[in-house]
């Protein structure tokens, strides 16, 4: 089954790792959605309030292992145990580095990892070009999901790093780093803000992201 067949005409809930999703007032009824999508370390870390940790149909993952950057090795056994059905690889093999990450993943025996697919290279390059910076996995997930025609995309807990991550999502070494990120979050937010203005009927965002977008108009 193609990734489009998985997503098309489905009600999709995309969850990010923002700390405010642990607040009980941000209750989300998972029964309202056909598919729940998580990003990178969220399945392994259980960083949301308990009900939101229970479903993980699709996991967008960059497959990057970079311990000095706080990106520790991923664990596909945990993904299977948490019932991840499909891994969507965010960075296509357009560089040797991305290709190596994908090859390392594929070397894991098939029975020890979920099925997978890769974001289309042309879409990735379009996002990269329009954002004018290397996009985060969350940004890639938003535009990749929309390109596969869900009936509705609901986004909760993604603020383009304008609010804190949930405790434990990033390793402590990440917060001690002094080097500048290769992801310019302001550029990604500006691009999403312009896109959202023309596509708001397809996307449901939460109060936190809506408030942030208003400051970018």
């Amino acid at each position: 089954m193609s990734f489009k067949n998985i997503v098309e005409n489905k009600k999709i809930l995309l969850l990010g790792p923002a700390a405010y999703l642990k607040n009980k007032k941000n209750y989300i009824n998972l029964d309202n959605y056909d598919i729940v999508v998580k990003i990178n370390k969220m399945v392994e870390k259980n960083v949301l309030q308990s009900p939101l940790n229970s479903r993980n149909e699709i996991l967008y993952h960059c497959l990057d292992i970079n311990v000095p950057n706080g990106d520790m090795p991923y664990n596909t056994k945990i993904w299977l145990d948490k019932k991840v059905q499909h891994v969507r690889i965010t960075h296509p093999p357009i560089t040797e580095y991305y290709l190596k990450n994908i090859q390392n993943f594929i070397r894991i025996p098939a029975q020890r990892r979920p099925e997978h697919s890769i974001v289309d290279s042309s879409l990735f390059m379009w996002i990269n070009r329009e954002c004018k910076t290397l996009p985060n996995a969350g940004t890639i997930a938003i535009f990749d999901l929309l390109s596969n025609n869900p009936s509705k995309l609901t986004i909760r807990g993604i603020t383009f790093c304008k609010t804190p991550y949930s405790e434990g999502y990033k390793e402590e070494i990440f917060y001690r780093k002094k080097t500048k990120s290769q992801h310019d979050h302001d550029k990604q937010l500006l691009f999403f803000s312009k896109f959202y203005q023309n596509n708001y009927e397809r996307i449901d965002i939460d109060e936190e992201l809506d408030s942030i977008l208003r400051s970018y108009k």
Side-chain angles (χ1 to χ4, degrees):
M1 181 182 293
S2 71
F3 187 73
K4 184 171 184 177
N5 287 339
I6 296 172
V7 171
E8 190 169 33
N9 298 321
K10 300 294 197 308
K11 292 179 289 185
I12 308 292
L13 173 62
L14 172 60
L15 291 171
Y20 62 79
L21 281 189
K22 278 202 166 182
N23 192 317
K24 289 184 179 180
K25 78 178 184 69
N26 288 299
Y27 172 77
I28 300 170
N29 186 353
L30 298 185
D31 292 336
N32 292 333
Y33 303 96
D34 300 309
I35 296 174
V36 176
V37 181
K38 303 284 180 64
I39 302 168
N40 282 338
K41 306 173 184 67
M42 292 178 64
V43 172
E44 290 156 286
K45 296 293 187 177
N46 282 335
V47 294
L48 306 177
Q49 52 176 294
S50 294
L52 300 184
N53 292 318
S54 64
R55 284 181 58 188
N56 310 285
E57 283 84 21
I58 295 176
L59 175 63
Y60 275 81
H61 208 288
C62 65
L63 302 182
D64 196 19
I65 299 175
N66 188 337
V67 175
N69 190 44
D71 295 317
M72 312 305 282
Y74 50 82
N75 189 323
T76 58
K77 182 181 184 303
I78 293 178
W79 298 354
L80 290 172
D81 290 345
K82 296 293 182 66
K83 295 183 169 54
V84 173
Q85 298 172 15
H86 194 98
V87 174
R88 186 68 163 168
I89 299 171
T90 57
H91 291 62
I94 58 174
T95 70
E96 288 189 14
Y97 186 83
Y98 299 158
L99 174 60
K100 182 179 178 182
N101 285 342
I102 294 169
Q103 290 173 332
N104 288 337
F105 176 77
I106 293 174
R107 288 191 187 102
I108 300 170
Q111 67 271 22
R112 290 170 46 196
R113 54 179 167 83
E115 67 175 38
H116 73 280
S117 60
I118 305 171
V119 169
D120 184 77
S121 296
S122 60
L123 177 67
F124 177 87
M125 295 302 295
W126 175 78
I127 299 169
N128 189 82
R129 184 171 62 252
E130 295 297 320
C131 287
K132 299 180 176 61
T133 186
L134 182 64
N136 289 79
T139 301
I140 296 170
I142 290 170
F143 289 99
D144 184 56
L145 288 166
L146 289 171
S147 74
N148 286 284
N149 301 322
S151 62
K152 191 81 173 185
L153 175 61
T154 298
I155 302 172
R156 299 288 183 266
I158 291 180
T159 61
F160 298 85
C161 294
K162 296 301 179 184
T163 61
Y165 288 129
S166 289
E167 184 178 357
Y169 178 68
K170 280 285 190 179
E171 302 293 332
E172 182 63 28
I173 191 171
F174 170 81
Y175 299 102
R176 296 199 301 267
K177 274 188 60 183
K178 297 185 183 298
T179 56
K180 187 177 181 181
S181 172
Q182 59 186 330
H183 307 286
D184 189 314
H185 302 113
D186 287 327
K187 289 181 179 178
Q188 294 178 74
L189 181 56
L190 182 60
F191 171 54
F192 176 76
S193 178
K194 293 177 180 177
F195 181 87
Y196 177 72
Q197 291 176 38
N198 297 317
N199 296 273
Y200 62 88
E201 73 282 354
R202 304 173 60 199
I203 310 169
D204 177 29
I205 61 176
D206 54 22
E207 293 179 3
E208 289 81 1
L209 181 54
D210 182 64
S211 176
I212 292 166
L213 290 182
R214 289 178 187 279
S215 68
Y216 273 75
K217 289 184 179 180

